[in-house]
């Protein structure tokens, strides 16, 4: 995880806020009504072990075919690795890229005694990138990567506030991202055409704590797990200047794992009306 100082500072702020809170408001009205928030933090990715590129050699829509050369050998026998291929083929991959994220949200809470039910809609962007690479017996690398141009979510949340001042909650709901897919290869003889940007749909779930800093101001710390399914991105290989017969010509390529999974740790600042 690459954001220890950011997360430590956010956590320290949240823990310190109760001492700063003003006494000129009624705690019974905390976390009740509409609010707007801004926030930011870090998007972290787990290891997608075992992910590969998969192939449709006869364009029947079914991926998982081997790509065979004229002698019947597997063109991709050198194998695959999770992450972006290094500059030298057949060496390995860099880790997937974690990155900062930033977002805005609107929400509404309904407080019933010490229990709170609410809903939130948010939108923003994450700089994290998820890649997978394959290597051919000709010494070329083939890499697919994806990151979100922007993303949005609509979630419910339920929490408990022991008399006001602090809210401990869980949250979950639907998630969407407009994904920017990219393809890169050291193969300079074939031609390649891809399907471009795709729509990822899925869900988010997590929890957090929010504390009142003043009558209308709260700060929070939140963890969110997001799982987006992205199975529409395809790269189609053409003949280009490759000599015939060419085992890659007419092959479609996809990722074996359609899921883009991330972990987010973020701080929030909210104004409550």
């Amino acid at each position: 995880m690459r954001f220890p100082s950011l997360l430590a500072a956010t956590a320290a702020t949240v823990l310190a806020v109760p001492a700063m809170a003003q006494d000129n408001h009624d705690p019974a009205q905390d976390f009740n009504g509409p609010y707007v928030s801004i926030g930011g933090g870090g998007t972290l990715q787990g290891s997608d072990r075992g992910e590969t590129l998969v192939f449709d050699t006869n364009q029947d829509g079914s991926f998982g075919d081997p790509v065979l050369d004229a002698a019947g050998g597997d063109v991709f026998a050198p194998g695959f690795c999770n992450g972006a291929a290094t500059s030298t083929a057949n060496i390995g991959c860099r880790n997937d890229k974690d990155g900062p994220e930033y977002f805005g949200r609107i929400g509404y809470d309904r407080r019933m005694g010490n229990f709170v039910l609410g809903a939130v809609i948010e939108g923003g962007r994450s700089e994290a990138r998820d890649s997978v690479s394959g290597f051919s017996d000709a010494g070329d690398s083939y890499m697919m990567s994806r990151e979100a141009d922007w993303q949005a979510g609509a979630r419910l949340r339920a929490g408990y506030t022991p008399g006001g001042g602090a809210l401990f909650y869980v949250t979950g709901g639907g998630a969407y991202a407009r994904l920017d897919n990219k393809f890169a290869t050291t193969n300079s003889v074939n031609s390649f055409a891809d399907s471009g940007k795709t729509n990822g749909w899925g869900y988010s779930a997590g929890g957090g704590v929010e504390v009142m800093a003043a009558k209308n101001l709260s700060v929070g710390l939140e963890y969110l797990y997001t799982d987006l399914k992205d199975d529409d991105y395809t790269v189609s290989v053409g003949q280009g200047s490759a000599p015939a017969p060419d085992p890659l010509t007419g092959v479609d390529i996809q990722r074996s794992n359609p899921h883009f999974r991330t972990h987010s740790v973020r701080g929030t600042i909210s104004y409550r009306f």
Side-chain angles (χ1 to χ4, degrees), residues 18-205:
M20 301 162 50
Q22 303 296 314
D23 294 326
N24 59 351
H25 75 279
D26 181 4
Q29 297 304 312
D30 291 345
F31 312 112
N32 192 43
Y35 62 91
V36 295
S37 306
I38 58 173
T43 303
L44 314 171
Q45 297 183 78
S47 176
D48 299 329
R49 294 181 179 177
E51 186 175 13
T52 69
L53 301 178
V54 289
F55 309 96
D56 177 7
T57 59
N58 55 11
Q59 297 185 339
D60 64 354
S62 178
F63 288 80
D65 303 331
V67 181
L68 303 177
D69 59 25
D74 186 351
V75 171
F76 286 88
F80 308 88
C81 61
N82 179 58
T86 53
S87 58
T88 303
N90 301 327
I91 296 300
C93 291
R94 296 183 295 273
N95 290 333
D96 284 336
K97 178 189 171 186
D98 299 333
E101 65 173 72
Y102 32 91
F103 61 91
R105 67 168 57 149
I106 59 174
Y108 185 88
D109 286 330
R110 173 75 174 180
R111 182 169 171 182
M112 296 163 285
N114 287 337
F115 294 94
V116 176
L117 295 177
V120 60
I121 298 173
E122 72 176 28
R125 177 175 169 81
S126 165
E127 304 289 344
R129 185 182 302 121
D130 179 29
S131 303
V132 61
S133 300
F135 304 93
S136 73
D137 55 10
D140 289 310
S141 62
Y142 301 78
M143 182 189 73
M144 286 184 169
S145 65
R146 58 189 168 199
E147 60 184 299
D149 276 345
W150 59 275
Q151 51 199 119
R155 301 189 302 276
L156 299 176
R157 71 176 193 168
Y160 178 77
T161 177
L167 173 67
F168 303 89
Y169 65 89
V170 295
T171 184
Y176 166 81
R178 182 63 170 170
L179 295 171
D180 185 10
N181 299 279
K182 290 184 171 64
F183 176 76
T185 180
T186 59
N187 179 340
S188 60
V189 294
N190 287 103
S191 62
F192 299 89
D194 68 1
S195 55
K197 297 185 179 183
T198 56
N199 299 308
W201 297 90
Y203 69 92
S204 295

Side-chain angles (χ1 to χ4, degrees), residues 58 74 101 128 164 212 215 221 255 259 262:
N58 55 11
D74 186 351
E101 65 173 72
M212 298 300 300
K215 181 178 180 180
L221 183 65
R255 308 174 67 127
H259 293 275
T262 58

